[in-house]
Amino acid sequence: MAKTKEISRRIKSVANTKKITRAMEMVAAAKMRKALEAVLKTRTYANLSWETVLRLAKLSQAQSEPLHRLLTKRKKINRVAIIVITSNRGLCGGFNSALIAKIKESIVRHPVKTDFILVGRKGTPLYGLPNTEVAAEFSKEDILTSISEIAPIGKMAASDYLSRKYDKVLVAYTDFISASSQIARVKQILPVDLNVDEYLGVASSNPKIGVTKEMITEKSNEHLAVEQGKYEFVFEPSPRAVLDKIIPRLLEIQLYQAFLESNASEHSARMSAMHQATEAASDMVAELTLFYNKARQAGITAEIAEISAGANALAE
Amino acid sequence: MSENKSIKFEIVTPERVLLKEQILSVSVPTTSGEVTILPDHIPLISILKPGVLEIHLVNGEISLMSVSGGFLEVLKNKIVILADTAEKAEELDEERIKNARLKAEEMRTSEKFKDDVEFADLAVRLEKELAREHTLNKWRKLKGFKKE
């Protein structure tokens, strides 16, 4: 009897866990819908602005003198910064570990001194990696409501880049592709460079979601080429005044979009992790119920055997 | 008049795509004055300031929008406006704008602001609300004339 009691206790406990994971799944699904809406709303704007930035970068490359300091590539890379966008909470499957693995991989590939700017609480495994340092840690709100919330991060990145503390600024985030697939990605945001261009959105050339290098080239050829790949642009009031305003702003938008993508990815990763947990709990309950019934049956059989043995002994 | 020439036009804000279609011309408030862009304009990048956007659609109608800042990019036969915020005139709510403007004005005159940053913030807000009000007035006028 003792065995059946133990099993039934376990069944109860698993069933309770299942209730929790199911609730979490539903909460994550609701949050995902919201985050997704936010991503999709900003995507057109972000992609169009990224197109503009790349066009400017291309223009800058074509000229003998770079248009803006934020567009200039540096020859020697001494130190890079990576802005790492992780989640605040766990229980979201491989969301954070995939991102961190991606970062480690990129560090191994580019062995320069790296500073991390952590956003979100789950970036702690990056402390203490060789040749790296954590320069800053920003807290992250669970729901990102406005672009001004991430402005300090963007400003810090831009000013540290301009002061030559860093020669490259990258952002590590998770791209939202669909509810069932998210990709961890490290993207260079400073200096803006056409040749290493990675775009927010998807690895496919789906024009609805991402902008590729080919598309930019094609578009600038279509819209800008005057003669033989010569580009002409008028800046009003002056190139400096325009670019000083436009480039930081556009970078901010890229960063903002990266945050939104990460948020949507986090919630959908949590949703699928919790869905799996719920399913696993159901399986476990079914298995335990089987054990329970077997144990109960065994108990009854043993009791009957005992009784009938007793009866037999009395009859003799 | 360029009667049959049109140009691709797209205005987006971080929240939505407001308009994406062929237009005849558009007048845009920029920091260096209002510019009107017609088809075959040379490529241009400029900064917007709060004000009224006047779009001449292909069907002859005029669409007014209020913008609060952003960027204008003119490519070869394509205009892109990346606005911080933008509203169509017909969506504007007079009551709300008036209240917001009065509030901003009141706060500015009451000298309650803590520092320069906040003051600048207020000034910008005021300017935006004024732009909205202006848009609405202009739109009313436009519609009024059409009815007669």
Side-chain angles (χ1 to χ4, degrees), chain A residues 198-237:
Chain A
E198 282 262 3
Y199 44 88
L200 292 162
V202 178
S204 75
S205 55
N206 185 345
K208 274 193 186 137
I209 311 170
V211 182
T212 61
K213 191 164 74 180
E214 287 72 30
M215 279 164 65
I216 294 293
T217 316
E218 197 182 291
K219 279 205 172 165
S220 32
N221 282 340
E222 180 191 335
H223 293 296
L224 282 179
V226 184
E227 285 153 21
Q228 296 139 21
K230 197 177 145 239
Y231 300 106
E232 210 178 320
F233 242 126
V234 176
F235 294 93
E236 267 177 17

Side-chain angles (χ1 to χ4, degrees), chain A residues 251-306:
Chain A
L251 284 174
E252 218 170 67
I253 289 157
Q254 290 312 308
L255 213 50
Y256 182 58
Q257 182 70 9
F259 270 85
L260 292 178
E261 297 272 354
S262 276
N263 273 350
S265 300
E266 179 195 335
H267 292 310
S268 59
R270 179 166 298 122
M271 190 183 81
S272 56
M274 286 301 113
H275 183 76
Q276 276 167 12
T278 310
E279 259 174 19
S282 300
D283 288 351
M284 212 162 165
V285 167
E287 204 179 315
L288 284 172
T289 311
L290 193 66
F291 283 151
Y292 173 80
N293 287 339
K294 271 187 186 159
R296 195 179 57 100
Q297 193 65 53
I300 292 166
T301 314
E303 249 173 61
I304 290 173
E306 265 166 39

Side-chain angles (χ1 to χ4, degrees), chain B residues 24-148:
Chain B
L24 296 175
S25 77
V26 59
S27 299
V28 187
T30 72
T31 48
S32 42
E34 184 161 312
V35 292
T36 298
I37 310 215
L38 293 163
D40 293 327
H41 197 284
I42 58 163
L44 166 83
I45 288 188
S46 192
I47 307 167
L48 298 187
K49 71 171 189 203
V52 191
L53 208 69
E54 197 178 317
I55 306 154
H56 291 252
L57 302 171
V58 181
N59 59 14
E61 274 183 36
I62 297 173
S63 167
L64 293 180
M65 284 179 197
S66 149
V67 289
S68 67
F71 306 106
L72 159 77
E73 195 187 8
V74 182
L75 304 168
K76 209 173 162 198
N77 265 323
K78 185 182 178 187
I79 305 169
V80 178
I81 289 183
L82 300 167
D84 296 344
T85 66
E87 293 100 11
K88 289 180 185 161
E90 49 267 41
E91 296 169 355
L92 291 170
D93 177 2
E94 192 189 13
E95 201 67 0
R96 200 191 65 78
I97 296 167
K98 213 168 182 184
N99 287 339
R101 179 177 63 91
L102 287 177
K103 208 173 154 199
E105 248 166 19
E106 191 186 306
M107 275 177 85
R108 199 168 66 154
T109 44
S110 70
E111 295 181 35
K112 264 196 203 138
F113 43 84
K114 278 178 256 154
D115 46 27
D116 290 354
V117 177
E118 204 168 313
F119 180 75
D121 214 44
L122 270 173
V124 170
R125 235 166 63 200
L126 195 59
E127 208 177 342
K128 281 179 191 169
E129 297 303 339
L130 280 173
R132 291 203 177 109
E133 230 176 347
H134 192 64
T135 312
L136 201 60
N137 290 338
K138 207 169 170 185
W139 186 65
R140 286 244 176 82
K141 227 166 149 187
L142 194 77
K143 289 287 154 185
F145 277 132
K146 279 203 171 162
K147 267 177 204 159
E148 277 169 17

Side-chain angles (χ1 to χ4, degrees), chain A residues 92-110:
Chain A
C92 45
F95 175 75
N96 291 312
S97 49
L99 189 70
I100 283 160
K102 184 92 191 172
I103 292 165
K104 284 183 178 159
E105 187 194 316
S106 107
I107 293 172
V108 170
R109 230 186 303 142
H110 308 286

